[in-house]
Amino acid sequence: MSRLTNDRHAQDVAALRTELAGLAVGVKLIRLECVLSRKYRADQPRAPAGQSDGGRWLPEGTGGGSQAQSQTEDAVLEDGSRVLSIRIRAQPHTDWDEQHTVTGPDGTRTVFETSGLTQTIRDGDSNEILARNLLTQDGAEPEAFVQLARGRPRPSDELARRFPKTLEAAESLFSVLSGRNTSDRKAIFAAPASEYIPGDAYNDPAMWVGAVGQTELDQLCPRNREVQAIADAVAAGVKASGNYFGGQDFGNKVHAGIAGVINARKDPNLVAETSFDATTGTDAKYGARGSIRLDVLERSQPSTVCVYDHKAGNAYLRGPRSVDIATVVQRRYPGALRYILIQIEPMV
């Protein structure tokens, strides 16, 4: 068999595998539509407060058996964005599949469908696939998929056109999912660390937003437990001292204490309170007007940087600006290809 024939055979096999993967996702979406077709009841019971899933809607058929289970959560952000989250699974004790529909303040809808570590991003109005990405230990990586429609823009072109809106939707989803963090699952936002300039060509649209377990988090950001331990110890010390005035002052002292511990180590791969002037790109002092600041940066590998945002008191992450994050990452670690955003809440 000639080399050309072998190459064509390999391409045909790859195309068939991709189509099968797409069909598998399609089957799960059909199941999801069946669940959503049932009327949603306002009196559906919630899990009791104090449990890991406290406050969430209890699934239908929780008594066991083969009936599909579903959970629904709805959230509205301060800017008017809305995130409707649906989680389903065919059997108890199996993994959940998730669908998050994000409606922006201008009405633009973007859908994030997650099955395992594969995430499909769709235009919420046309249902066209914009991207399909796989979360790996290196971050989000694009996956090929079969696009059966003819005469339409390529998905990569459509995603490039919609990239600013898709990015905003991902930010909103991350903000909501971060508020649902538990001790064993945390939301992350994996995105490319490049300049996001509207209208410019965009060559690497891979992004991924969702909750991961501790095993995946350790692979992505090996020092996350260390950062969490520092945050816990500093927050406990500030609380025990009683030397603070209200939640904001408590948060400020926790931030300063964490930065002091981390920067005292003089580890170039783990730095805190990194600030740059948004206009000039030069180093800036903490809190300087017009500056861009990130709490903690961990260079987990030459191409990936983990960005930790600390939550203290009643504060929560408010729509992180990916342009600013990417700018700081690029300034501090030139050559970084991607960043992974994580919210850390001190356990005190």
Side-chain angles (χ1 to χ4, degrees):
M1 187 178 292
S2 67
R3 178 177 179 180
L4 179 60
T5 302
N6 285 332
D7 290 344
R8 287 177 177 172
H9 177 71
Q11 292 174 358
D12 290 341
V13 171
L16 287 172
R17 287 176 176 172
T18 299
E19 186 168 2
L20 287 173
L23 290 173
V25 173
V27 170
K28 292 184 177 181
L29 293 178
I30 291 173
R31 291 174 178 169
L32 176 61
E33 289 174 359
C34 291
V35 172
L36 295 179
S37 66
R38 296 189 306 217
K39 293 271 189 179
Y40 169 72
R41 296 187 293 105
D43 63 344
Q44 185 176 349
R46 294 175 183 256
Q51 297 185 8
S52 60
D53 60 348
R56 293 183 177 177
W57 300 112
L58 287 175
E60 300 286 353
T62 52
S66 59
Q67 188 174 8
Q69 297 178 325
S70 66
Q71 295 178 342
T72 304
E73 290 182 284
D74 198 359
V76 178
L77 281 68
E78 289 184 349
D79 66 355
S81 298
R82 180 185 178 187
V83 178
L84 176 62
S85 301
I86 309 293
R87 304 172 72 229
I88 65 168
R89 61 183 178 185
Q91 297 283 347
H93 310 300
T94 59
D95 291 336
W96 292 91
D97 291 330
E98 300 184 358
Q99 182 190 74
H100 305 279
T101 300
V102 182
T103 304
D106 63 351
T108 300
R109 294 196 307 156
T110 309
V111 180
F112 298 82
E113 298 163 347
T114 306
S115 179
L117 296 179
T118 298
Q119 185 168 83
T120 301
I121 304 175
R122 296 179 182 270
D123 183 299
D125 296 314
S126 68
N127 205 38
E128 291 292 328
I129 297 177
L130 301 174
R132 179 169 292 145
N133 304 313
L134 176 67
L135 184 66
T136 72
Q137 62 183 10
D138 295 324
E141 301 291 346
E143 280 196 341
F145 56 90
V146 176
Q147 188 78 0
L148 300 178
R150 295 284 191 267
R152 296 183 178 179
R154 292 179 303 168
S156 57
D157 295 337
E158 181 65 11
L159 179 58
R161 184 187 68 79
R162 280 187 93 255
F163 186 75
K165 295 294 184 182
T166 306
L167 190 64
E168 290 175 7
E171 292 170 351
S172 297
L173 178 56
F174 175 73
S175 295
V176 170
L177 294 182
S178 293
R180 302 171 185 169
N181 280 347
T182 64
S183 59
D184 58 346
R185 290 187 67 80
K186 288 185 172 61
I188 67 167
F189 179 23
S194 57
E195 298 294 337
Y196 306 132
I197 303 175
D200 277 15
Y202 189 71
N203 298 320
D204 184 8
M207 67 176 72
W208 196 97
V209 56
V212 298
Q214 190 61 52
T215 299
E216 290 85 2
L217 190 56
D218 288 342
Q219 292 174 341
L220 292 163
C221 302
R223 303 180 73 172
N224 72 89
R225 295 174 191 258
E226 178 183 353
V227 174
Q228 180 71 63
I230 293 172
D232 292 348
V234 170
V238 174
K239 186 174 183 179
S241 72
N243 185 27
Y244 57 90
F245 304 95
Q248 182 174 353
D249 189 45
F250 175 81
N252 291 339
K253 284 183 166 58
V254 170
H255 276 75
I258 292 171
V261 172
I262 290 178
N263 289 334
R265 300 181 178 187
K266 301 188 182 301
D267 183 343
N269 292 321
L270 187 67
V271 297
E273 301 296 353
T274 302
S275 299
F276 292 94
D277 185 274
T279 303
T280 65
T282 57
D283 290 343
K285 293 183 179 180
Y286 173 82
R289 177 175 296 181
S291 65
I292 302 170
R293 178 185 62 82
L294 297 181
D295 292 339
V296 178
L297 301 181
E298 171 201 347
R299 182 165 60 181
S300 60
Q301 53 177 292
S303 60
T304 303
V305 175
C306 297
V307 181
Y308 298 93
D309 186 279
H310 290 293
K311 174 183 175 182
N314 295 321
Y316 65 94
L317 197 60
R318 300 170 184 265
R321 295 182 58 195
S322 288
V323 176
D324 292 345
I325 295 171
T327 299
V328 175
V329 168
Q330 284 282 311
R331 296 289 185 186
R332 185 71 191 193
Y333 299 115
L337 300 179
R338 63 187 66 85
Y339 71 84
I340 298 171
L341 181 60
I342 310 165
Q343 181 171 282
I344 296 294
E345 180 178 1
M347 302 296 180
V348 294

